[in-house]
Amino acid sequence: MQGRDLLLIISVMAIWGFNFSMIKLGVSELDPLLIAAARFACATFPIIFFIRNPDVPWRYLIAYGLVFGTGIWGMASCSITFGLSSGMAAVLLQTDVLTTVLVGVLLYKEVISSRMAAGILISLMGLVVSIFYTNGNVTLAGVAFIMLAAICWPLAGVILRSSGTRAPFAFNIWGMLFAPLPLMALSIAMNGWGVLSATYQQWGADAWISVLFQAYPTTLFGYWVWNKMLLKYPMSQLAPMTLLVSVFALLSGYAIYDEQLSLTQWISCSTFLLGIALVLYPQRNKTPGESDRKLPAASQDRAEASAP
């Protein structure tokens, strides 16, 4: 990998990690679903007027907007509102790797190698310990919401793959067009119509900083760079880089909010991420001349739909 590209990828991982602190900045005072809706509204407009819509049936774009917007980032935002620290939210969202493997087994009939099985076992051990040995930075409600996000992540990948699109960046932009309305509808269903006026009245500088950072550096710039790198390098080489998101999220959470991990959590989170790394980068024997560009199908879906 070229040094310039490596630096660019690490920069995007830092942005995506810092994004969890920016989510917390917005949802600390305002409804998390409306913050997420504003994020995708800003990320969509005005750029959508300059990008041709992908040649796919509209049902795929609508489904992607619902799953990616509400299922992943609506639920991830709620997890922080309900007591999960920004750093732990980033770490536990890596559970999507495990749900992606499950989708691969069920839909694509993929076989779990011994290395992947060991990684799954190690990551689950680290996950359980990090949840139960909390110092107040993990709540059961927060874990429930982040697990919903982790379950939805591979579904977004399945929608992307099923659409047959050859323009994943355009697909992502046009799919996000359908994210704000379901998020707003869910917020109103949970909180009543008054949540709209309350959010409008309380909207301030912190909300703008949170939403604009999520929309532009995180979503548009981050996904644009990631998409370019996916075309240039093997996914098996890029996917493990996403583990850096958790590292940067933990660092930014500590720097901005003084979020602390206990010694047990440092060990358990490291164990969890080690297991995830084994799953993301499974050992396999290649035949002579075989390209290593592709991960297993489900993991490829995750890599292509991995913009925080």
Side-chain angles (χ1 to χ4, degrees):
M1 182 179 296
Q2 297 177 6
R4 182 172 176 270
D5 290 342
L6 179 61
L7 181 60
L8 195 57
I9 291 170
I10 293 175
S11 298
V12 169
M13 298 303 109
I15 290 172
W16 286 356
F18 187 72
N19 184 60
F20 286 88
S21 291
M22 291 296 98
I23 292 175
K24 184 172 182 175
L25 180 66
V27 306
S28 295
E29 301 292 338
L30 299 174
D31 181 77
L33 297 173
L34 293 184
I35 287 289
R39 166 195 179 170
F40 290 114
C42 289
T44 303
F45 295 100
I47 193 174
I48 199 167
F49 297 116
F50 303 96
I51 296 180
R52 184 186 299 274
N53 63 300
D55 186 20
V56 299
W58 286 99
R59 65 179 182 274
Y60 291 111
L61 298 173
I62 295 171
Y64 185 82
L66 178 63
V67 172
F68 187 75
T70 304
I72 299 176
W73 293 110
M75 297 302 100
S77 298
C78 285
S79 73
I80 296 176
T81 298
F82 284 86
L84 209 58
S85 71
S86 60
M88 287 303 297
V91 172
L92 297 184
L93 188 55
Q94 293 284 352
T95 310
D96 76 297
V97 174
L98 305 184
T99 58
T100 298
V101 170
L102 179 61
V103 167
V105 172
L106 295 178
L107 292 186
Y108 303 125
K109 308 303 179 185
E110 293 177 353
V111 178
I112 298 177
S113 66
S114 58
R115 183 187 179 107
M116 292 178 68
I120 292 171
L121 180 60
I122 291 170
S123 62
L124 288 176
M125 290 171 56
L127 177 66
V128 170
V129 173
S130 64
I131 291 174
F132 285 99
Y133 285 85
T134 175
N135 61 1
N137 55 5
V138 175
T139 63
L140 290 180
V143 170
F145 278 109
I146 206 68
M147 289 300 110
L148 285 174
I151 291 170
C152 288
W153 201 302
L155 299 182
V158 170
I159 294 169
L160 181 66
R161 172 181 286 265
S162 300
S163 72
T165 182
R166 295 181 179 274
F169 182 71
F171 184 94
N172 186 263
I173 296 299
W174 280 84
M176 287 190 298
L177 177 66
F178 300 97
L181 286 181
L183 285 162
M184 293 175 64
L186 182 58
S187 177
I188 293 170
M190 294 174 62
N191 304 297
W193 286 96
V195 69
L196 298 179
S197 60
T199 300
Y200 176 77
Q201 293 169 6
Q202 297 172 15
W203 196 276
D206 286 351
W208 277 119
I209 293 171
S210 171
V211 166
L212 294 178
F213 187 90
Q214 292 179 65
Y216 298 112
T218 298
T219 304
L220 294 185
F221 175 74
Y223 194 84
W224 176 70
V225 170
W226 186 249
N227 188 60
K228 287 186 65 177
M229 295 300 109
L230 285 174
L231 296 175
K232 193 172 184 179
Y233 297 104
M235 292 179 185
S236 59
Q237 187 176 351
L238 290 173
M241 298 288 288
T242 60
L243 295 176
L244 290 175
V245 173
S246 297
V247 176
F248 285 115
L250 289 170
L251 292 175
S252 65
Y254 172 75
I256 298 174
Y257 301 111
D258 195 30
E259 294 178 353
Q260 304 280 347
L261 296 185
S262 65
L263 177 60
T264 302
Q265 282 185 316
W266 275 114
I267 297 173
S268 62
C269 286
S270 299
T271 302
F272 172 74
L273 293 176
L274 172 62
I276 293 298
L278 292 175
V279 176
L280 277 176
Y281 199 27
Q283 184 179 14
R284 68 191 188 99
N285 296 322
K286 293 190 296 182
T287 58
E290 180 185 1
S291 171
D292 66 345
R293 176 163 292 275
K294 290 188 177 181
L295 291 170
S299 298
Q300 183 179 345
D301 288 346
R302 178 189 185 272
E304 291 176 343
S306 58

